[in-house]
Amino acid sequence: SDPVLPAAVAREGAAWAADDIAAFAREVGTADWFHEGHLANEHTPELHTHDRYGSRIDEVEFHPAWHRFMETSIRHGLHSLPFERAAGEGARVARDALFMTMSQVEAGHGCPISMTTSVVPALRVEPALSEVWEPAILSRTYDPRLVPITEKGSAILGMGMTEKQGGPDV
């Protein structure tokens, strides 16, 4: 129903994605999805530092709604679309339109989605490293299991940093 977004997508060279963007908007623009967005934000991630035997695990548990957002965004290429087409074909524009649409429903999962998108150009500075990681990073499957990357077909990347006012204690 947004008259500006389709016009901008077409003007910026991604008219080929208009139907996919509209279908995506219909998929995630429902009351059910907005409720899921509320759940994903109401139930913040829980850090589990130790298992029941007292062994250190440092695992973060996310609400199932958060995983639903991650799976849907990844399935639609919100993390990978700019690298799936040749430069200048409007893939970044299409990705950004999809991302804008999803962020109106739930914005929190957008951080790992965006960081996964952003890491590819940095990795390409080191071709050997890029060759190892890009296939998993650009995969359109989402695997939430807490297992080594060698046991997964996909990877989502994030950033570890420390900020005096509230960053993680790396």
Side-chain angles (χ1 to χ4, degrees):
S1 65
D2 180 345
V4 176
L5 184 61
V9 166
R11 182 188 67 239
E12 299 301 323
W16 54 267
D19 290 342
D20 289 339
I21 295 166
F24 182 73
R26 286 189 298 275
E27 178 182 345
V28 301
T30 66
D32 176 55
W33 274 96
F34 277 93
H35 178 68
E36 290 285 311
H38 171 75
L39 291 174
N41 288 285
E42 181 75 15
H43 301 280
T44 58
E46 295 180 26
L47 172 62
H48 302 286
T49 57
H50 295 81
D51 66 15
R52 64 185 182 154
Y53 304 108
S55 299
R56 190 78 189 216
I57 57 171
D58 291 327
E59 293 179 357
V60 179
E61 180 182 352
F62 290 87
H63 189 273
W66 190 84
H67 289 295
R68 185 177 181 201
F69 281 98
M70 290 294 292
E71 187 281 325
T72 300
S73 289
I74 290 167
R75 181 170 33 90
H76 286 278
L78 274 66
H79 69 300
S80 62
L81 196 53
F83 310 105
E84 294 176 6
R85 298 178 74 96
E89 290 186 10
R92 183 65 195 218
V93 172
R95 180 267 182 199
D96 290 349
L98 292 166
F99 189 86
M100 185 187 92
T101 301
M102 181 61 104
S103 67
Q104 293 178 56
V105 181
E106 200 288 316
H109 81 290
C111 183
I113 295 294
S114 291
M115 296 182 94
T116 301
T117 304
S118 299
V119 78
V120 174
L123 276 176
R124 288 182 174 172
V125 172
E126 295 292 335
L129 194 56
S130 183
E131 185 178 322
V132 170
W133 279 95
E134 257 191 71
I137 292 168
L138 299 180
S139 170
R140 284 199 180 196
T141 61
Y142 174 62
D143 185 348
R145 296 176 303 146
L146 298 171
V147 298
I149 188 62
T150 55
E151 298 177 28
K152 299 176 95 163
S154 63
I156 300 301
L157 301 179
M159 181 187 313
M161 63 182 145
T162 185
E163 301 165 351
K164 184 176 182 180
Q165 71 277 13
D169 182 4
V170 297

